[in-house]
Structures are given as structure tokens and as C-alpha cells.
Amino acid sequence: MKHAIELTINGKCYQIEVEPEERLLDVLRDRLGLIGAKEGCSTGDCGACTVLMNGQAVTSCMILAVAVDGADITTIEGLEKDGEIHPLQKAFIEEGAVQCGYCTPGMILSALALLKENPEPSDDEIRRALAGNLCRCTGYTRIIAAVKAGAERMKNHG
Amino acid sequence: MDDQKAYAIVGHSMLRPDAREKVRGRAVYVADFRLPGMLFARVLWSDRPHARILHIDTRQALDLPGVYTVVTADDAPNTRYGVYLKDQLIFARGKVRHIGEPVAAVAAESEAIAEKAIEKIVVQYEELPAIFEPIEAMKPGAPLIHPDLESYEATYPKIVKGNVCLYTRLSMGDTEKGFEDADYVFEDTFKTQPMYQGYLEPRGAVASFDFNDKLTVWTSNQQILVCQAELATALEMPMTQVRVIGTAIGGAFGGKLKTSVEPIAALLAKKSGRPVRLVLTREEDFIASRARAPYILRLKTGVKANGKITAKSVELIADCGGYSDHVVGTMGLAVSFSQGPYKIPNAEAKGYCVYTNNPNYSCMRAYGVHQMCFATESQMDIIASKIGMDPAEFRRRNLAEDGDVLVTTQPLRSVTVDQTMAQVLKACHWEEKRKASKQRGVKNFYGIGMANTILNMGLLSSAAIVKINEDGTASVLTGAVDLGTGNHTALAQIAAEELGMKPNDVNIAAVDSDSSPYDLGQIASRTIFDCGNAIKLAANDARRQLFATADEVLGAEGRELRASEGNVYVRDEPDKKISIRDLMGYRLYFKGGPIIGRAGWLGKPGFDHLVGEGYPQPPSVTFVFGTHVAEVEVDVGTGQVKVERITAAHDVGRAINPLGVAAQIEGGVVQGMGYALYEEMQIHEGVVQNPDFLNYRMPTILDAPEIVPIILEIPEEYGPFGAKGIGEPTNMGPPPAIANAIYNAVGVRVKELPITPERLLHALDDKKTREA
């Protein structure tokens, strides 16, 4: 049986009929073509599918679509404003924190959730906030540097 | 001379252009592909380690609404293929040899329907005796996993027997006499585990046939041209009818070689007449993985009281699992580098690759040299400790130099390990820290340990085509995909430097076997070295043509020309200049036509005679060296090891993009740390017990140590602008350096990886018992 849900994704309102077993990740990727959320493990362990749900970082492979009725979702595609990428995205490029890129959208969104709560995190706070996002390429050093640089840039952007 | 010059582009850190689309979530990986009418595939994997297939009933699966087709071995050519040994088929035929071997596959309207259909396929098996220990599998009378092994084609002089699909023996000098001359002889056995590559993007491919029966495959493979050739072999099609296109790659590390999912997707596409996408789930990617093969390494080393090594012999046994895949190749390199970067006048190395009914193992970053390095560098410390010498001093007394020979009898060249060692020891204050007190608090102990690395550099062929466009920019056609390492950025720098263009005016084209020239692939740390050489030569060929036209247009009359920032000028009269764009206008519309530079490259080692039996590898072109120092804190109460810092010095010849080199070192170090301490595919009777990221524990950001990369640039004569590759060596140092640091901290030696808290506590208990 299909369920009708209504939700906001990247500031836009959607009314969608979903199957009971459909996940938020399926809705984003298969129905709306928002491919920035990646499926890495399907068990909530790698963080590649991370999106923001009402401001919180969540793994969208672990959330049923029926459960997001009324929610406000931000995906990586929602970070650009007027064709300009977000200061945190810019920081990831400039600090060399991107290699294969598969973990990158999820990593950026987990970091963004942290910076909204805590605009000046310590290294330890960054590590704790990103502990659920695996990266196999970078060794994480530059990711920590990028989150710090992003925090700086966000402050300067008001 | 290249090494005297300062370059405009090479050697300067450059940001990666592809990062822009990646931070926006716009890079397109295989799982992001959708074609009109595309079907979704799932695979039925063998759930038996060794069994005869009596019957496969697919009727119920086909009856399911939404199912288009089911394929089995009956739909595939009966052609065996493989990179070293042709022992492999697309689907199991007659019998299965490991859990996770493809038996059948389904294409349906959705993955959910395909999954249901898979459950409805009935396979009748007759169990065969299975064997999981390579040493057991080597014994006479062990059940034969490939009874037809004798008849399989191989690319190496095949010495096979029973389940042993490769035996190789190399020797040099007089080992027996070497051991007689020694004051001490050390014998140690080390064991390494199966390691999963752990790329975040699971393997996948999209396949489609057109109306002329031409196959197109999109894949995140790391060997696009090899994948094309192997598909053609496996499907019995001419290469003209097989087109392979590289997508964005979410990491590979040796796990996306040759073919795996591609032929399955192709057979489904052929039979259904529709495009088919097959993307593995993480669990499938684990159970059908091509993990780094586990090794047993027996080392015997003779040493004089003054610390000089007189002889070394090694016997290595690698578990292939059900098929040989790349394990045979890893053994070739493991035996080659069994002496480490040391001068050992008498040496012998024996290697065995053995079939078992374990999963199909293969290779990972640093191939078999990785396993070998752990054993050698651990034993170096064991010896140093026994003869009462500082491990650095013991290594120093035995360091190889140019002209010393490997056990393959190939002379070494470009040996720089003395310098990587000197730099790293100085940077981490080795002398003071070795002497410093170990105990920190009640149960915590500090330790510091080191390891040297050696690896081959340069492997077989690459080619490149450089097209100069009418706007003065250039497009480079190469078979090299960017694994995520940023090699496209560095390759563009190489082309731009040679052409005298701005790096952003060079485009490294997407890899498409219809137009990209041959390349062996993004393996063996060869991209910057081999593809870089091909691109540099092709760019040089294009520049030569540009200069010939410029000479005419500028009236330079043979005077020396230079190119920079998109302009060509007379060296002695820089005002006499013309833009490459204007030159191209002249070429295209008045004289000469388009400019296409081209080059093929095959690194020549100046050594082609390999002594020894059954050896499967070509000689090295040159060699690359490094040194790692690990600092750890060990908690003797819990057995936990915290890696605090790794200082990693690598001689890269020349850092084309220093930012990219540092990033490679950091990533490689953390992967190596995972292998040292946490990661192990746990296999019980052929079943992977931990096929998920919760139970297969890769390092998280909480584990990441401080990493101090030290980049040495000692130009390599054969490298493009002096460069050597660096992807793999970064990964080899941490396991032995960490094991040696643990020994320094608490005085126990763990010879089996990973060094888990359980293993360490066990070793600590043993030590206590011995001391009591």
C-alpha cells in the first residue's frame, strides 16, 4: 500500500506517494535524481548517504520514507546559493580534502550540522562529529583542516 | 638537464578541478547511471565452498512478473580467462570452488524484483570435500580444486602440482655458505590476513548492446583497456565490438582490476536486449571480493656479530582462494623484494600460490611486497634487538646501494633509502626518543619503531595522444582513469609543462576504449611514471610540430623556440611571439592541418634476463624507496594500541603536484594502520564472518594519527620530469613500523596481523609466563 507524504527538500515542497519499504535515500536518488547522497553500505555504517533532516545529520539509508512526512531535508545539492557553492564546500576543495569524492557529500553535511551547532569546534569535536563518516582515501587529516577552514569562512560570511 | 630546471607548472601544488563537482555531489559514479529502459541486476552467488552443480532450475524466477531474463554458465562461452593463469569463467560451470562465486544472475524491472527472483532459483548441489588451509591444500591427497590445472594457459613458466598453481624459486650467491659464515641465524614465521580494499563505492557496471551487437560498458574499473580485452576474451567477441567507458571512481586500491561484474552485466544485457545495471551491495562486495591475499612468510636470516647480514632465505605461501586472479603476480613481487632494501649477498626465495576453497583472493595496494615488507622489517628489529644494536644502526650497516642485486639478480638503481632514513630519523628525534622512558602512568607505555620500504617502479605499456585544439588548448587522450588519487591533475600538469600552456588549458579526456590509446591501468603506482612518460612524449611530439610551424610564421630561421602560457616565442628575441591559438588557426586554415602528438611508452629496465624458475613478473624499470617511523602508546591493561604519530619520508623523484603527494602519503598511512591493527576479513570454512563496515573495522577519523609527510625529490633519470609513483609505498610502512614500536614499548613481538588487543594481550601474558 502506498503512503502519501509531504516534505521539504532543499527548500522545495514535495508531495510523494511512497512504498512502505522505500527509504529516504531511494526517494532522493531514484525519484528526484538527487544523486549526491551515495549508497556505500546500506547499514548506516559508512555515512556516504548522510543528509540533514531538520538540521540533524542522518544516514538516509536507515530512514524509511514514510517517517520523513513533514520533515525538512537538506541534501548536498541544496547547499549552493545563486550558483555559488557553500563556504564549507569551498574549504573542502582548497584544503585538498577531496579524493575519490564518494564520501565527500556526506562528510560535508555532517560537518555542516556540527558547525551550525558549534561554529568554532575543536579538533576533538570535529572528530566526534565525523566519526560516522568513513573515508578510505584521505587519512582524514585534510578533512579536519577543511572543516576548520570552513568554520572560518562561514564566520566571515556572516 | 631536467633536474637543473625550475618548472613553471610541475612542482607547484595545484587544486583538483574534479573536486568542484565532487563537493557538489555532481560526479557521476556507476550507481548514478540511468539509461532508458534500463533493467536492474542481482547475482546468485555460491553458498557452498566446494560442490558439484547438479542442476539449476530458473523457471520460478523467470515466471516472476517484472523479470526479463536469467543467465547461467549455459549462456556464457566456455572460455577460461585470467591475467596470469586462465582459470576463470564468468559463471561457475559444473562446480563451485568458493562461496561468493557467481552461479546465476537476473535482470528485472527493479532491484527488489531481481532480488526476489534470485531467491527463487533452485540449485542442486552435491557437496565436495573442501579445504581451507593452504598448507593442508599443498599435501598429497588433498581434494583437487582445479583438476584441469595442468591444461590451463599461463603467462608464466608454469610449475604446478596438485593445488599449487604457482611455484617459483629464485636464488643468488651461495646461501648455504652464507648461513655457515653467520654468527647467528634467525628463523621467524609471519602471517598476514585477508584485507578488504574498502573503497566506499561498491563495484558496479552498466552494460548495453546496440542494434549492431556492439557492447558498451560503463564501469568504475581501474584498468579500462584491460577490462575491454578481458571482456572480449570472456565473451568471445572482437575488441572492436566491445567499448568500455570509465566513470567516476569511488576508490579502488587494487579491488577493481580486470573484470568482475562487467561480464555478468554484459550477458544479461545481451539476453534481455535491454541496458542492465549491476551494482553490488556492500555485503556482496565483501563476499565476492578480491581481497589482499593472506600470506604465510617463513624467513631465515644469517647475521655476523658486527651486524652484517650474510644470507637470507624465504619461503612464502599465499592462499589464492578458489581462483588464482592476481595472487600469482603478488608472489612474483613478494619474492623479488624478499631481501628488502638491503645488501644480502646470498639469498634464496621460494613462493607457492595455493588454491583453497576460501573466497577468491587477489591483490591490494603494494601487491605482495606489502606482506613481504611486514615480515622483513619485523625481523630486522628482532635481529637488532638480539644482537644488541639500535634498529636504525643495524639497517644502516646493511643498506643496499646502486648496483647491489636483488634475488632476481637484477641490479638496483636509484637507491635513496639512506636518505629517506636519515631524513625521517632526524625529523622524529629518533635517538632521544628511543632512549626516553617508556612508561607513562600505570598501564601505558610509549614506543617508537621504524620500517624501510622498497618497491618496483614502472610496469609495461602506456600510450598518449595530445590534440591541439583551435583555441590553443589541448586535449590528452590516455587510458588512465583517475581513481580518486588526483592523477588527472598531475598528468595535466605534465602535459601543460611540456606544451608551454596553462594547466587549466589542458583537458585529460574521459577514458573510452573506442578512442583512448592502450594503457595497462591505474595499478602498481605506475600512472605518473608510465602514463606520465607517455603523455610527456606525446606532448613533446605536438610541441615539435607547433614549433616547426612557429619557426616559419615567426621567421625564426632555426633559432631556439620556447613555449609558455600559451605562446611560442624566439628564446633570444622574446618579442617575436605568437599564441598557440593563432598558430593553430594558421595550421588548420592555411598550412599543415591539425596537430596530433602521439607516443607509446614501455619502460626499459636495461635488464631482461631473469634467472630462476616459474617467475611470473617482468623486471622492474627502476625502484622507489621510503622510511616510516611510528610512535604508539600501548595500554597493557586492555591491549589497545593508539598510534600517535607516523612520520613518513618518501623519495618521489619529483613531486609533480606536492599537494597530491602529501595527500597520497596521508591516505596510505591510515590504510596501512588499519591493516596493522584492525582490519581482517574473518573467514570460517570459506564464509566471510564480517561482511559489513561495522564488523570489518576500517580506521575512522577518531583513529587517524598525526601524519608528518616528508617528500624527498631526488630526480629519477627515467621518470617524467624525474618523477616516481607514490600510491603504494605509503601503505607498506605502517604495519612493520607499528609492530616494531609496540615491541619498543612493551617488549612483545606479534608476528601475525592484525595486532588486535586479543593478540597483544596474549603475547603479554606469554611474556609474563616466560619471565616468571
Side-chain angles (χ1 to χ4, degrees):
Chain A
M1 200 184 85
K2 292 204 177 203
H3 297 262
I5 60 165
E6 195 174 310
L7 75 169
T8 308
I9 301 171
N10 300 332
K12 214 172 156 198
C13 191
Y14 292 86
Q15 289 175 325
I16 310 170
E17 289 207 332
V18 297
E19 301 286 347
E21 71 275 12
E22 226 173 319
R23 305 165 303 170
L24 172 57
L25 180 62
D26 303 323
V27 170
L28 296 173
R29 288 182 54 84
D30 299 342
R31 296 203 182 215
L32 305 176
L34 297 169
I35 58 164
K38 300 293 175 202
E39 184 152 18
C41 69
S42 326
T43 49
D45 296 315
C46 81
C49 66
T50 302
V51 298
L52 301 187
M53 179 170 163
N54 305 324
Q56 299 286 314
V58 296
T59 45
S60 61
C61 74
M62 297 301 285
I63 292 178
L64 288 176
V66 289
V68 295
D69 192 18
D72 183 10
I73 304 291
T74 304
T75 72
I76 196 73
E77 290 89 348
L79 261 52
E80 287 168 50
K81 290 276 177 304
D82 308 320
E84 275 289 304
I85 60 172
H86 190 276
L88 187 55
Q89 290 172 306
K90 212 169 255 176
F92 267 69
I93 298 174
E94 289 181 359
E95 294 296 323
V98 179
Q99 289 199 29
C100 85
Y102 210 75
C103 75
T104 306
M107 201 66 88
I108 289 174
L109 288 166
S110 287
L112 187 60
L114 166 72
L115 295 180
K116 292 231 160 119
E117 292 277 310
N118 177 358
E120 287 179 58
S122 67
D123 278 21
D124 273 353
E125 287 166 333
I126 294 171
R127 284 173 188 259
R128 277 201 293 276
L130 301 184
N133 293 79
L134 290 176
C135 167
R136 192 58 156 170
C137 301
T138 65
Y140 302 104
T141 309
R142 279 162 211 279
I143 289 174
I144 296 171
V147 177
K148 290 177 117 170
E152 259 328 286
R153 282 172 172 274
M154 281 168 71
K155 258 193 290 177
N156 298 338
H157 282 68
Chain B
M1 281 291 284
D2 268 358
D3 54 330
Q4 301 298 319
K5 247 197 259 172
Y7 297 108
I9 295 152
V10 157
H12 300 273
S13 282
M14 237 191 100
L15 296 177
R16 302 169 52 153
D18 61 324
R20 255 192 100 71
E21 61 172 8
K22 286 174 174 172
V23 297
R24 289 149 52 115
R26 301 281 171 87
V28 178
Y29 302 84
V30 174
D32 303 326
F33 259 78
R34 256 171 196 273
L35 295 175
M38 187 173 84
L39 302 177
F40 299 85
R42 298 253 59 93
V43 178
L44 176 68
W45 313 95
S46 159
D47 59 357
R48 312 294 159 102
H50 200 196
R52 212 183 305 283
I53 300 172
L54 300 178
H55 184 67
I56 304 176
D57 186 348
T58 61
R59 281 170 304 176
Q60 285 186 59
L62 276 167
D63 285 348
L64 214 63
V67 170
Y68 277 72
T69 194
V70 180
V71 290
T72 66
D74 290 343
D75 301 285
N78 190 9
T79 302
R80 290 193 184 269
Y81 58 93
V83 57
Y84 293 93
L85 179 62
K86 297 190 190 309
D87 60 0
Q88 207 178 339
L89 292 163
I90 301 172
F91 286 109
R93 182 178 288 270
K95 74 170 187 170
V96 292
R97 295 175 168 87
H98 67 94
I99 291 173
E101 181 169 0
V103 172
V106 173
E109 268 169 15
S110 72
E111 283 185 342
I113 295 172
E115 187 66 51
K116 270 188 205 136
I118 287 294
E119 287 163 16
K120 294 209 176 290
I121 299 174
V122 183
V123 186
Q124 259 185 298
Y125 289 111
E126 179 191 301
E127 300 269 356
L128 293 167
I131 195 150
F132 306 106
E133 292 298 331
I135 290 174
E136 294 300 312
M138 287 168 80
K139 288 182 179 162
L144 287 185
I145 293 158
H146 288 265
D148 299 330
L149 170 58
E150 298 272 351
S151 68
Y152 294 165
E153 258 182 72
T155 57
Y156 56 93
K158 206 172 65 169
I159 306 170
V160 300
K161 194 177 178 189
N163 290 314
V164 176
C165 61
L166 171 128
Y167 167 73
T168 182
R169 182 180 169 272
L170 304 170
S171 74
M172 179 186 75
D174 185 342
T175 320
E176 221 165 284
K177 182 164 183 313
F179 285 122
E180 276 168 24
D181 292 346
D183 294 316
Y184 309 97
V185 174
F186 294 85
E187 291 190 60
D188 295 285
T189 299
F190 299 88
K191 278 179 93 172
T192 66
Q193 77 278 35
M195 181 186 192
Y196 177 59
Q197 289 86 0
Y199 36 72
L200 279 203
E201 181 213 19
R203 280 171 292 158
V206 174
S208 178
F209 277 85
D210 69 13
F211 291 114
N212 297 316
D213 283 333
K214 179 166 175 170
L215 166 67
T216 301
V217 173
W218 290 264
T219 171
S220 58
N221 200 290
Q222 56 189 110
Q223 293 184 293
I224 294 299
L225 282 302
V226 171
C227 181
Q228 179 204 14
E230 194 166 279
L231 271 170
T233 306
L235 299 169
E236 293 182 344
M237 291 169 70
M239 284 175 75
T240 50
Q241 289 291 93
V242 179
R243 180 183 182 195
V244 181
I245 300 174
T247 62
I249 302 174
F253 313 112
K256 296 177 179 173
L257 299 171
K258 50 204 284 292
T259 63
S260 63
V261 288
E262 295 87 352
I264 299 175
L267 285 176
L268 286 168
K270 182 161 189 152
K271 202 168 171 191
S272 67
R274 296 271 206 118
V276 170
R277 187 175 90 194
L278 170 59
V279 174
L280 302 187
T281 65
R282 181 58 61 184
E283 187 182 353
E284 291 176 309
D285 203 273
F286 264 101
I287 67 153
S289 71
R290 307 281 172 85
R292 188 198 290 286
Y295 267 59
I296 299 165
L297 308 105
R298 297 176 181 141
L299 276 59
K300 182 177 171 189
T301 304
V303 191
K304 287 284 221 193
N306 66 5
K308 279 275 184 193
I309 300 176
T310 56
K312 182 172 183 181
S313 71
V314 306
E315 188 179 67
L316 313 180
I317 297 167
D319 184 353
C320 295
Y323 293 87
S324 63
D325 211 89
H326 268 273
V327 181
V328 161
T330 69
M331 183 58 78
L333 287 195
V335 291
S336 301
F337 293 104
S338 57
Q339 297 141 299
Y342 305 108
K343 179 188 178 74
I344 301 178
N346 307 295
E348 184 189 22
K350 280 190 212 164
Y352 301 85
C353 292
V354 188
Y355 288 129
T356 64
N357 297 112
N358 284 324
N360 186 183
Y361 297 128
S362 186
C363 64
M364 190 178 162
R365 200 171 186 172
Y367 229 52
V369 191
H370 199 278
Q371 291 94 324
M372 193 65 241
C373 178
F374 168 64
T376 291
E377 292 296 316
S378 294
Q379 202 194 32
M380 290 301 280
D381 264 44
I382 292 174
I383 299 171
S385 161
K386 286 277 166 57
I387 64 173
M389 202 175 279
D390 179 81
E393 179 55 29
F394 175 54
R395 284 175 172 83
R396 235 177 260 126
R397 291 190 185 191
N398 290 287
L399 282 186
E401 294 173 354
D402 281 13
D404 287 338
V405 282
L406 292 174
V407 68
T408 58
T409 68
Q410 179 170 12
L412 286 166
R413 59 184 308 286
S414 301
V415 182
T416 55
V417 64
D418 53 330
Q419 297 180 60
T420 58
M421 214 176 117
Q423 289 263 350
V424 90
L425 295 182
K426 190 167 154 230
C428 71
H429 308 288
W430 173 263
E431 305 274 339
E432 294 142 61
K433 284 180 175 168
R434 284 291 289 194
K435 284 182 201 135
S437 150
K438 300 297 162 207
Q439 189 143 12
R440 287 177 177 174
V442 186
K443 287 183 166 174
N444 291 1
F445 294 82
Y446 165 86
I448 179 168
M450 67 169 295
N452 286 325
T453 65
I454 176 172
L455 195 69
N456 60 315
M457 182 49 48
L459 185 63
L460 303 177
S461 284
S462 286
I465 294 166
V466 174
K467 304 193 295 176
I468 311 296
N469 302 315
E470 45 266 58
D471 64 352
T473 62
S475 297
V476 177
L477 303 187
T478 160
V481 287
D482 193 328
L483 301 178
T485 55
N487 60 38
H488 275 192
T489 310
L491 293 177
Q493 286 177 270
I494 289 173
E497 184 71 53
E498 195 68 13
L499 288 164
M501 288 182 183
K502 296 175 188 158
N504 290 336
D505 286 341
V506 174
N507 163 43
I508 306 290
V511 180
D512 177 340
S513 67
D514 262 5
S515 51
S516 305
Y518 180 82
D519 185 66
L520 183 67
Q522 283 43 75
I523 60 168
S525 307
R526 66 185 294 285
T527 306
I528 294 305
F529 188 82
D530 291 313
C531 308
N533 265 318
I535 287 172
K536 185 170 185 277
L537 289 169
N540 189 279
D541 185 30
R543 190 181 70 180
R544 185 184 51 74
Q545 298 172 53
L546 272 173
F547 279 13
T549 308
D551 181 86
E552 190 182 314
V553 175
L554 294 173
E557 293 172 339
R559 279 181 293 166
E560 190 182 341
L561 297 177
R562 286 281 168 88
S564 139
E565 299 211 337
N567 295 300
V568 178
Y569 60 93
V570 181
R571 200 191 79 167
D572 301 333
E573 205 181 334
D575 288 345
K576 247 189 187 338
K577 70 171 180 180
I578 182 169
S579 68
I580 294 176
R581 179 198 152 111
D582 289 347
L583 267 179
M584 284 312 295
Y586 179 75
R587 287 278 308 206
L588 292 175
Y589 303 112
F590 298 100
K591 206 167 171 189
I595 288 183
I596 294 171
R598 66 188 174 87
W601 160 263
L602 171 64
K604 291 204 180 59
F607 174 84
D608 56 11
H609 182 63
L610 286 172
V611 184
E613 306 161 55
Y615 186 74
Q617 287 287 6
S620 307
V621 179
T622 186
F623 304 90
V624 61
F625 299 87
T627 307
H628 282 197
V629 166
E631 294 172 69
V632 304
E633 186 177 289
V634 180
D635 180 331
V636 295
T638 63
Q640 297 275 357
V641 177
K642 166 86 187 146
V643 179
E644 295 183 340
R645 186 182 300 110
I646 290 188
T647 312
H650 290 278
D651 170 23
V652 300
R654 179 172 314 275
I656 303 289
N657 182 3
L659 174 66
V661 173
Q664 279 303 295
I665 295 175
E666 291 155 5
V669 160
V670 171
Q671 257 181 26
M673 186 186 87
Y675 185 66
L677 297 175
Y678 320 127
E679 296 181 35
E680 176 171 21
M681 269 187 25
Q682 290 160 357
I683 317 287
H684 179 66
E685 302 204 328
V687 184
V688 184
Q689 305 291 310
N690 54 344
D692 59 77
F693 281 145
L694 187 63
N695 295 295
Y696 183 91
R697 164 95 160 76
M698 304 202 303
T700 72
I701 199 166
L702 294 171
D703 307 308
E706 182 192 345
I707 300 160
V708 184
I710 299 174
I711 301 171
L712 274 78
E713 297 184 275
I714 303 162
E716 161 60 49
E717 184 191 344
Y718 298 149
F721 299 103
K724 296 178 183 181
I726 196 55
E728 294 171 296
T730 60
N731 191 233
M732 292 158 62
I738 289 169
N740 291 339
I742 292 170
Y743 182 82
N744 181 240
V746 293
V748 301
R749 171 65 55 186
V750 182
K751 296 181 189 171
E752 185 171 356
L753 291 177
I755 306 173
T756 55
E758 292 85 345
R759 285 202 177 113
L760 189 49
L761 288 175
H762 233 280
L764 285 162
D765 275 353
D766 285 352
K767 185 181 172 231
K768 244 187 246 162
T769 317
R770 275 199 312 272
E771 285 169 358

